[in-house]
Amino acid sequence: MTLFSAILFSVFTSAMFFIKGQFFAGSGSTDLLSYFSNAPYICIIVIPALCYKKSISIYDDFIPRPRLKKLLLNFARILLEYTIIILMMLPVCLTLNYFGDTDPGQIFTGLICLLFYGAAVISLCLFINELFTNSIASFVISALLLAVFNSIHVVPLYLNLNSVLSGLCRTLSFAWHFDAASKGIIDTRDILWLSICAALFIYLTYMTVEIKKGRQFNKQQRFFYLGILILTALLMLNSTRFYKRLDFSKNKSYSVNSYTKKLVDSLDDQLKITYYRSGSLSKLYPQIRDVTDFISSYSLLSSKIRYTIKDPDKDSDINTLLQNYGITSQQLQKSGTNSTEFINVYSAIVMEYKGNVQLIPFIMSSQTLEYDFDMRVRSLISGQSFAVNIIIGNGMSLYDDYGFIIPWLNSQGIVANPLYIEDPAFVTNLSLCTGPLFVIGDSEINIENAIAIENYILEQKGNALFAVSPYSCSIEEDWSITANKKTNLVEMLENWGVIFTDTIAADISCARITMYSDEGDDENPFEMSTQQKEILNYPQWISLLPQQYCTLGMTLFWPVSLSLSQNAVPYLITSPSAWTYKTDRASPTRLIETNPFLIQQDSAQNHESGTQIIGAQITGELTGLYNYGSCTDSNIIVIPDQYFVNTLMTGYIGGDFGDYRNFEFLSNCILNLQGESELAQLQSKTTRDTSLYKVNDIEQFKKLRTRVYLIIFAIIPLILAAIFFSLYFARIPFLLNRGKND
């Protein structure tokens, strides 16, 4: 029974993660959240099986040992077997390093919390075993109770419970207490709750055994044991009042940064933080607790911070106040047994300081909350918001072709100020601005515009990010690439040391795109065509690996390979397996082949391969090309791709859930250009790369898949069999010797 349970646990958790989670079907992630989250559910069967009463257990009464000692030894034996089982999760976690990066802290906290979870559940099952003498009945009842305790937190999804009952459901749920640990956090509330549960059920088991054996308790003993029971219950109910969250995540994602502490220390007046959270939201999503915990930790940094929570569902005046702030409710789906409904919820934060207000209109997790707080607190203290001036220089529309830029920047606390080159007052408007400049495209920038842009930089009114190229692509048609007639900004940047070569970069590390083609019957034109679907690696859309200025990676579309001189240094680079396609700028037609069906990755053999520079930074002294001026302290970032934040192009790579890494890179660049590098680091602090970036070759991927299946479905079961058979045969001499001694 024990060996079967061990193998079942290992196979189930691995199969749910790799097979049901479609790890090898394009949805793979090295995040272990779902892997560890599957464990409590298979424990519904596994732990009652480990605690299953064997027929020979009736002879335990004849062993001359104290009942409490026998109980604790039995508990320790089962906990040891369970520990061996969960430790076999470690090899599975380590296999993920073949594909990408895992978080050691997440592995540590996941296993630790599973150990405490196991102790609590084992003690519960032992208690049920003593209550019911029939082993099958106790097994079934234990499994049913575990199913209830693992899933009771979802009851508010189906029943309209009040806040007290909803909170009780969450508190009683064993699985709910595992949420923080699966992210790399040890929360003392969860550990204490599970520990108290284990101690309580061991105590109840012991008392049940004593009562069954006919022990009589006098009045003082009854009051004493009743007092212990009441004290334990009070400890369980108050375990949430005083707590500590220990962050073991790789990047200390859930710990307050030193930049935050310095920012809070600069407060000279009271900062009021109000979290408007619907009560119905806290019933449905455990991650909302992370938001509350972070705000609480943030408020403890200074006595000048005051923090309150209000429920808009209970007060119509609060709804009116939020509407005045411009905060609207968000609609979330709530699924029941036979129906699906949508509920309107609030989860907004309002920050008030010296009569000024900053808002976070909607928040569902604490993933970027520290950055959001610091960005807004900094604006409240300084009285100014971050702003960036945006110029579209390729004839496209900011609101149509680049429609995500302004909403994204607003969500990051950055104000966008559009400037239009077709406006006759463009030069005057630009001269009145300050702050970072973001220029997209060069094909419509005339010489007058270029002179104004260069003068803006030389006068050091702000640093600049240029997303420009000497080429344009018909992204809405056949993807043909042609040379631009106007290249004024390209020539200006080349004067500063960033040379745009006559090559388009490509890389084995690239985006995968889904292409469709229609195949009909030429002999029977009336027969409907059959649509063929094919997923292709497209090397001209480079998927950058995580690097210094691009911690999550990103995707560039037909980027130009750069050559650098003077004060220019690399900012973004490809993998060592990249290559280039040579172009002819003088050609009026298609410069290179861009058809995905015709491009093969082995074409790298016909081109010079090696790491390519596809992003540059210019710092230090600059001399004008169109102006006579110069400056000594510049900071210019050049990306040779004018489509990396284009709505259509980012939609191609977004998948079902969207890919916002290009936009994160954009806001990160703007903050760095503003001189806020520490704040820029906070932006991606809690976000780590969980992609399978280490595998780029399909044959390598297949070999690793076979290796993983071999480990989880053959090697680990064999190791478990060897361990438990060894333990079984080691116990036989011990039992024989104990019998002789007895």
Side-chain angles (χ1 to χ4, degrees), residues 106-138:
Q106 188 182 31
I107 298 173
F108 172 74
T109 57
L111 293 176
I112 289 294
C113 194
L114 275 179
L115 181 62
F116 280 91
Y117 166 83
V121 174
I122 289 169
S123 62
L124 171 62
C125 291
L126 291 177
F127 174 59
I128 300 299
N129 286 349
E130 288 301 327
L131 286 180
F132 300 92
T133 55
N134 185 282
S135 57
I136 296 177
S138 61

Side-chain angles (χ1 to χ4, degrees), residues 50 54 72-82 731:
L50 293 177
K54 303 174 180 62
L72 293 177
L73 285 174
N74 190 34
F75 171 78
R77 175 186 62 80
I78 299 172
L79 184 60
L80 174 62
E81 294 172 346
Y82 172 78
R731 285 171 58 193

Side-chain angles (χ1 to χ4, degrees), residues 345-406:
V345 297
Y346 287 95
S347 181
I349 297 173
V350 177
M351 312 177 77
E352 301 174 66
Y353 182 76
K354 291 184 177 181
N356 296 317
V357 175
Q358 285 283 336
L359 310 173
I360 301 178
F362 191 72
I363 188 77
M364 280 292 289
S365 74
S366 63
Q367 189 172 22
T368 62
L369 200 51
E370 186 174 5
Y371 167 80
D372 293 331
F373 265 47
D374 286 357
M375 175 67 83
R376 286 156 178 82
V377 170
R378 186 192 177 284
S379 296
L380 287 171
I381 293 174
S382 65
Q384 296 179 340
S385 297
F386 286 109
V388 58
N389 306 297
I390 302 177
I391 300 173
I392 305 296
N394 57 9
M396 292 186 172
S397 167
L398 176 61
Y399 294 97
D400 295 329
D401 301 295
Y402 295 94
F404 286 160
I405 292 180
I406 292 180

Side-chain angles (χ1 to χ4, degrees), residues 467-509:
V468 298
S469 169
Y471 309 111
S472 291
C473 181
S474 58
I475 59 174
E476 295 182 349
E477 298 174 358
D478 62 351
W479 293 357
S480 59
I481 294 178
T482 56
N484 295 334
K485 295 181 179 179
K486 295 179 181 177
T487 56
N488 293 312
L489 293 185
V490 167
E491 293 171 22
M492 179 187 74
L493 293 170
E494 290 187 331
N495 178 61
W496 293 340
V498 178
I499 310 302
F500 292 78
T501 67
D502 57 353
T503 59
I504 299 294
D507 200 341
I508 287 179
S509 177

